[in-house]
Amino acid sequence: MEFIKVTEQAQPSVALIELNRPKELNALNKQLMEELRDALQALDKNEAVRVIILTGNEQAFAAGADIKQMADKSAIDMLVIDQFSTWDQIRKTKKPLIAAVSGFALGGGCELAMMCDMIMASETARFGQPEIKIGTIPGAGGTQRLTRALGKAKSMELILTGRFLAAEEAHFYGLVNKVVPVEMLLPETFKLAAEIAQLSPIAVQLAKEAINRSFETHLDEGLAYERRNFYLTFASEDQKEGMKAFVEKRKATYVGR
Ligand code: DAK
């Protein structure tokens, strides 16, 4: 791996992926996204991992897709090379994926953070979809996910002007879960991850799937999907253990079966 760093057990059951192209503010080129796809696929299969954290560095989570790599491409090049298909893996990841964002999260960087299940932000985090300033528009879900998170008015303002949203404002609008001082970003993110990692991975995965359904379907279908996943948890040892432990007034131990 050249452009990302993966630590499988950064903390027990929690993996850490660090985007690592600092000179280019972690611009997401083809190779980086291929490495990220491969890492996510491997961690998703790794039973020792229950939660994955994705982060950048203090200056940037990621300043977008690599503009230099796409500047002179034609529409047909984009279609035929289809280098952006690697991005599909982010939303296919079954385990909880938490973005820890400091500095710039712009364009594809903002979209990448929004594809994660939760976003923890440092006080220096700045979110934006500035594609309009380089003559294009968001292409990895920005017009959809930002609008769902912020509402139409603010999303229009950001996408049509390319303005940035500061961390506190992003928190006010519900784009991020929490804003913390820079030095607390990873410790606080690990704390959140550890809380989830001790729970039943089966229930966590089914809950994540059901929440994501709410963005993809109408209410009736979403509710039916949720009910199906709820019933499915009763096929797991974890559900038996969780409910038994509650009745016996002890802490449950979840094995992921
Ligand atoms: N691509 C390539 N290089 C970048 C870059 C980027 N997005 N962002 C920064 N860099 C490079 C700069 O060129 C510079 O390199 P050198 O000149 O030193 O070689 C280095 O990083 C440091 O940047 P600056 O010198 O510009 O640093 P400043 O502090 O002055 O400014 C900045 C920071 C973040 C405000 C500025 O760099 C900037 O505006 N960057 C571009 C932000 C942007 O427009 N991002 C959106 C790109 S379009 C899709 C998936 C994804 C996408 C589309 C489709 N599908 C799944 C279909 C995504 C598209 C995009 O993200």
Side-chain angles (χ1 to χ4, degrees):
M1 300 281 187
E2 187 184 351
F3 295 132
I4 66 170
K5 196 176 149 210
V6 181
T7 312
E8 271 182 28
Q9 294 287 320
Q11 299 221 332
S13 307
V14 180
L16 178 69
I17 303 179
E18 292 163 275
L19 304 176
N20 188 27
R21 256 194 110 197
K23 279 200 221 119
E24 292 81 9
L25 301 179
N26 288 335
L28 305 163
N29 67 5
K30 183 168 180 284
Q31 186 184 332
L32 186 155
M33 289 308 295
E34 283 167 357
E35 291 178 7
L36 182 59
R37 174 199 58 202
D38 295 347
L40 286 172
Q41 278 172 353
L43 293 172
D44 227 13
K45 283 193 199 125
N46 183 339
E47 282 192 12
V49 172
R50 291 192 176 179
V51 180
I52 304 164
I53 296 173
L54 179 61
T55 196
N57 53 48
E58 246 181 76
Q59 218 192 347
F61 177 73
D66 192 319
I67 300 170
K68 292 164 194 166
Q69 213 171 51
M70 56 184 167
D72 57 5
K73 296 264 185 335
S74 71
I76 299 304
D77 288 338
M78 295 297 270
L79 193 74
V80 173
I81 302 168
D82 198 21
Q83 74 177 52
F84 288 100
S85 59
T86 45
W87 287 66
D88 297 342
Q89 178 57 39
I90 319 295
R91 62 194 286 263
K92 283 190 197 147
T93 304
K94 295 190 173 113
K95 290 178 183 165
L97 189 54
I98 308 175
V101 177
S102 225
F104 297 114
L106 304 177
C110 184
E111 290 168 313
L112 179 60
M114 290 192 292
M115 282 181 206
C116 295
D117 302 311
M118 283 173 272
I119 304 177
M120 294 286 283
S122 86
E123 288 163 347
T124 65
R126 296 212 280 165
F127 299 86
Q129 299 287 165
E131 289 89 342
I132 205 86
K133 291 186 171 172
I134 51 170
T136 183
I137 69 165
T143 62
Q144 307 303 301
R145 291 195 179 91
L146 198 71
T147 308
R148 281 163 198 212
L150 307 184
K152 179 177 164 183
K154 198 68 191 173
S155 180
M156 281 283 185
E157 179 190 324
L158 291 187
I159 292 174
L160 300 193
T161 64
R163 284 183 191 168
F164 299 162
L165 196 65
E168 280 302 343
E169 220 184 342
H171 186 239
F172 171 80
Y173 281 102
L175 182 69
V176 308
N177 291 73
K178 193 171 180 180
V179 181
V180 296
V182 176
E183 67 281 7
M184 292 309 291
L185 181 64
L186 279 183
E188 284 283 335
T189 310
F190 275 115
K191 212 165 111 188
L192 175 64
E195 202 175 323
I196 299 166
Q198 59 165 349
L199 301 171
S200 163
I202 296 172
V204 166
Q205 181 188 318
L206 292 174
K208 167 176 167 162
E209 274 176 25
I211 294 168
N212 282 336
R213 261 301 146 116
S214 75
F215 293 107
E216 290 155 7
T217 58
H218 295 295
L219 187 60
D220 274 351
E221 202 188 321
L223 291 173
Y225 193 85
E226 180 194 73
R227 181 172 304 178
R228 196 207 64 168
N229 277 8
F230 171 69
Y231 289 161
L232 197 54
T233 61
F234 284 72
S236 72
E237 286 174 28
D238 281 351
Q239 173 271 332
K240 299 285 169 293
E241 161 68 3
M243 293 195 179
K244 205 158 166 257
F246 176 82
V247 173
E248 292 169 1
K249 297 191 186 299
R250 61 174 173 82
K251 191 172 174 353
T253 305
Y254 293 113
V255 292
R257 279 194 301 277

Tab-separated table of all heavy atoms in Angstrom, residues 30 34 37 73 75-88:
chain	number	residue	atom	x	y	z
A	30	LYS	N	-6.540	7.318	-8.638
A	30	LYS	CA	-7.026	5.966	-8.949
A	30	LYS	C	-6.383	4.921	-8.032
A	30	LYS	O	-7.061	4.073	-7.467
A	30	LYS	CB	-6.701	5.680	-10.418
A	30	LYS	CG	-7.172	4.370	-10.963
A	30	LYS	CD	-7.028	4.392	-12.485
A	30	LYS	CE	-7.495	3.090	-13.108
A	30	LYS	NZ	-6.548	1.983	-12.940
A	34	GLU	N	-8.067	2.386	-5.333
A	34	GLU	CA	-7.961	0.920	-5.481
A	34	GLU	C	-7.462	0.298	-4.179
A	34	GLU	O	-7.961	-0.742	-3.733
A	34	GLU	CB	-7.018	0.574	-6.640
A	34	GLU	CG	-7.690	0.775	-7.987
A	34	GLU	CD	-6.719	0.741	-9.170
A	34	GLU	OE1	-5.487	0.625	-8.960
A	34	GLU	OE2	-7.200	0.872	-10.309
A	37	ARG	N	-10.301	0.409	-1.675
A	37	ARG	CA	-11.277	-0.658	-1.966
A	37	ARG	C	-10.769	-2.008	-1.453
A	37	ARG	O	-11.489	-2.730	-0.763
A	37	ARG	CB	-11.513	-0.746	-3.480
A	37	ARG	CG	-12.405	-1.910	-3.888
A	37	ARG	CD	-12.246	-2.262	-5.353
A	37	ARG	NE	-10.858	-2.594	-5.659
A	37	ARG	CZ	-10.311	-2.539	-6.882
A	37	ARG	NH1	-11.033	-2.179	-7.914
A	37	ARG	NH2	-9.036	-2.856	-7.086
A	73	LYS	N	-9.466	14.466	-19.444
A	73	LYS	CA	-10.241	13.292	-19.889
A	73	LYS	C	-11.505	13.732	-20.643
A	73	LYS	O	-12.136	14.725	-20.297
A	73	LYS	CB	-10.670	12.448	-18.692
A	73	LYS	CG	-9.531	11.823	-17.907
A	73	LYS	CD	-9.287	10.416	-18.371
A	73	LYS	CE	-8.270	9.610	-17.610
A	73	LYS	NZ	-7.223	10.215	-16.876
A	75	ALA	N	-15.489	12.753	-21.985
A	75	ALA	CA	-16.621	12.045	-21.374
A	75	ALA	C	-16.517	10.538	-21.641
A	75	ALA	O	-16.790	9.709	-20.772
A	75	ALA	CB	-17.942	12.593	-21.922
A	76	ILE	N	-16.088	10.217	-22.859
A	76	ILE	CA	-15.992	8.793	-23.212
A	76	ILE	C	-14.846	8.119	-22.463
A	76	ILE	O	-14.970	6.977	-22.018
A	76	ILE	CB	-15.848	8.630	-24.758
A	76	ILE	CG1	-17.076	9.225	-25.461
A	76	ILE	CG2	-15.676	7.160	-25.152
A	76	ILE	CD1	-18.430	8.661	-25.022
A	77	ASP	N	-13.715	8.852	-22.274
A	77	ASP	CA	-12.633	8.299	-21.427
A	77	ASP	C	-13.190	7.939	-20.062
A	77	ASP	O	-12.944	6.858	-19.524
A	77	ASP	CB	-11.529	9.350	-21.181
A	77	ASP	CG	-10.679	9.618	-22.412
A	77	ASP	OD1	-10.644	8.739	-23.287
A	77	ASP	OD2	-10.076	10.705	-22.490
A	78	MET	N	-13.942	8.883	-19.489
A	78	MET	CA	-14.481	8.675	-18.137
A	78	MET	C	-15.357	7.427	-18.100
A	78	MET	O	-15.300	6.634	-17.168
A	78	MET	CB	-15.308	9.896	-17.677
A	78	MET	CG	-14.523	11.168	-17.503
A	78	MET	SD	-13.265	11.072	-16.222
A	78	MET	CE	-14.190	11.602	-14.792
A	79	LEU	N	-16.169	7.275	-19.158
A	79	LEU	CA	-17.093	6.148	-19.234
A	79	LEU	C	-16.339	4.831	-19.410
A	79	LEU	O	-16.602	3.848	-18.721
A	79	LEU	CB	-18.040	6.383	-20.412
A	79	LEU	CG	-19.258	5.506	-20.511
A	79	LEU	CD1	-20.273	5.928	-19.466
A	79	LEU	CD2	-19.887	5.620	-21.907
A	80	VAL	N	-15.372	4.821	-20.330
A	80	VAL	CA	-14.691	3.574	-20.672
A	80	VAL	C	-13.714	3.159	-19.569
A	80	VAL	O	-13.682	2.010	-19.138
A	80	VAL	CB	-13.964	3.708	-22.031
A	80	VAL	CG1	-13.110	2.481	-22.318
A	80	VAL	CG2	-14.993	3.910	-23.141
A	81	ILE	N	-12.909	4.122	-19.086
A	81	ILE	CA	-11.935	3.783	-18.028
A	81	ILE	C	-12.682	3.435	-16.740
A	81	ILE	O	-12.290	2.548	-15.994
A	81	ILE	CB	-10.956	4.951	-17.768
A	81	ILE	CG1	-10.201	5.318	-19.048
A	81	ILE	CG2	-9.944	4.578	-16.689
A	81	ILE	CD1	-9.443	6.624	-18.964
A	82	ASP	N	-13.752	4.162	-16.510
A	82	ASP	CA	-14.607	3.942	-15.338
A	82	ASP	C	-13.790	3.804	-14.047
A	82	ASP	O	-14.023	2.920	-13.234
A	82	ASP	CB	-15.483	2.692	-15.549
A	82	ASP	CG	-16.681	2.659	-14.582
A	82	ASP	OD1	-17.040	3.734	-14.066
A	82	ASP	OD2	-17.207	1.570	-14.320
A	83	GLN	N	-12.802	4.706	-13.916
A	83	GLN	CA	-11.903	4.573	-12.771
A	83	GLN	C	-12.603	4.837	-11.441
A	83	GLN	O	-12.083	4.518	-10.393
A	83	GLN	CB	-10.697	5.510	-12.908
A	83	GLN	CG	-11.013	6.976	-12.647
A	83	GLN	CD	-9.756	7.823	-12.719
A	83	GLN	OE1	-9.015	7.746	-13.690
A	83	GLN	NE2	-9.513	8.619	-11.691
A	84	PHE	N	-13.808	5.401	-11.527
A	84	PHE	CA	-14.497	5.727	-10.284
A	84	PHE	C	-15.324	4.564	-9.739
A	84	PHE	O	-15.949	4.685	-8.696
A	84	PHE	CB	-15.372	6.968	-10.476
A	84	PHE	CG	-14.555	8.236	-10.609
A	84	PHE	CD1	-14.305	8.796	-11.836
A	84	PHE	CD2	-14.023	8.832	-9.484
A	84	PHE	CE1	-13.542	9.943	-11.949
A	84	PHE	CE2	-13.253	9.980	-9.575
A	84	PHE	CZ	-13.011	10.546	-10.814
A	85	SER	N	-15.308	3.431	-10.466
A	85	SER	CA	-16.104	2.292	-9.972
A	85	SER	C	-15.567	1.785	-8.622
A	85	SER	O	-16.304	1.162	-7.861
A	85	SER	CB	-16.127	1.162	-10.999
A	85	SER	OG	-14.805	0.759	-11.252
A	86	THR	N	-14.289	2.080	-8.340
A	86	THR	CA	-13.723	1.660	-7.045
A	86	THR	C	-14.508	2.273	-5.879
A	86	THR	O	-14.524	1.729	-4.785
A	86	THR	CB	-12.255	2.127	-6.910
A	86	THR	OG1	-12.184	3.475	-7.350
A	86	THR	CG2	-11.309	1.262	-7.703
A	87	TRP	N	-15.140	3.415	-6.144
A	87	TRP	CA	-15.875	4.109	-5.077
A	87	TRP	C	-17.071	3.308	-4.579
A	87	TRP	O	-17.560	3.525	-3.469
A	87	TRP	CB	-16.357	5.484	-5.572
A	87	TRP	CG	-15.251	6.481	-5.711
A	87	TRP	CD1	-14.204	6.423	-6.594
A	87	TRP	CD2	-15.050	7.676	-4.942
A	87	TRP	NE1	-13.382	7.513	-6.418
A	87	TRP	CE2	-13.880	8.296	-5.424
A	87	TRP	CE3	-15.759	8.276	-3.908
A	87	TRP	CZ2	-13.401	9.487	-4.894
A	87	TRP	CZ3	-15.289	9.462	-3.381
A	87	TRP	CH2	-14.111	10.058	-3.870
A	88	ASP	N	-17.569	2.383	-5.429
A	88	ASP	CA	-18.760	1.615	-5.042
A	88	ASP	C	-18.537	0.803	-3.764
A	88	ASP	O	-19.481	0.506	-3.042
A	88	ASP	CB	-19.180	0.652	-6.173
A	88	ASP	CG	-19.574	1.424	-7.422
A	88	ASP	OD1	-19.850	2.633	-7.298
A	88	ASP	OD2	-19.591	0.823	-8.511
